[in-house]
Amino acid sequence: MPQPSVDPSVQHDADQLEASLGHVEAHLGALGDALKLQDAVATEAAASNLHRALGHAMECFARAARRGAVPLPCVAAWP
């Protein structure tokens, strides 16, 4: 069955959103590792990196939502 065509800018936004969420997951894991090690410097750095990654993900989500590129599972989970 043929796939429906997707506007390249919408696909780009969806891809950026997916990548940004992957970065959030990676930084969250790094924060967990730093906390397990009880390393204050690493914990602070990881928390700062996670904060930046979350901000970027929020920007990507907002941009994707404006263009209709938010995947359906995200829309369904939104309150």
Side-chain angles (χ1 to χ4, degrees), residues 31-58:
L31 177 58
D33 292 343
L35 288 168
K36 286 178 191 172
L37 295 172
Q38 298 181 355
D39 182 336
V41 173
T43 298
E44 185 64 32
S48 179
N49 290 337
L50 176 59
H51 186 260
R52 278 193 301 276
L54 284 167
H56 181 70
M58 290 172 56

Side-chain angles (χ1 to χ4, degrees), residues 13 17 56-68 70:
D13 288 343
L17 175 58
H56 181 70
M58 290 172 56
E59 290 171 9
C60 289
F61 185 87
R63 184 172 42 253
R66 282 192 299 271
R67 294 188 188 177
V70 177

Side-chain angles (χ1 to χ4, degrees), residues 5-21 57 59-76:
S5 66
V6 176
D7 180 346
S9 65
V10 170
Q11 185 61 50
H12 178 73
D13 288 343
D15 293 344
Q16 279 194 323
L17 175 58
E18 188 67 31
S20 69
L21 293 175
E59 290 171 9
C60 289
F61 185 87
R63 184 172 42 253
R66 282 192 299 271
R67 294 188 188 177
V70 177
L72 221 37
C74 290
V75 174

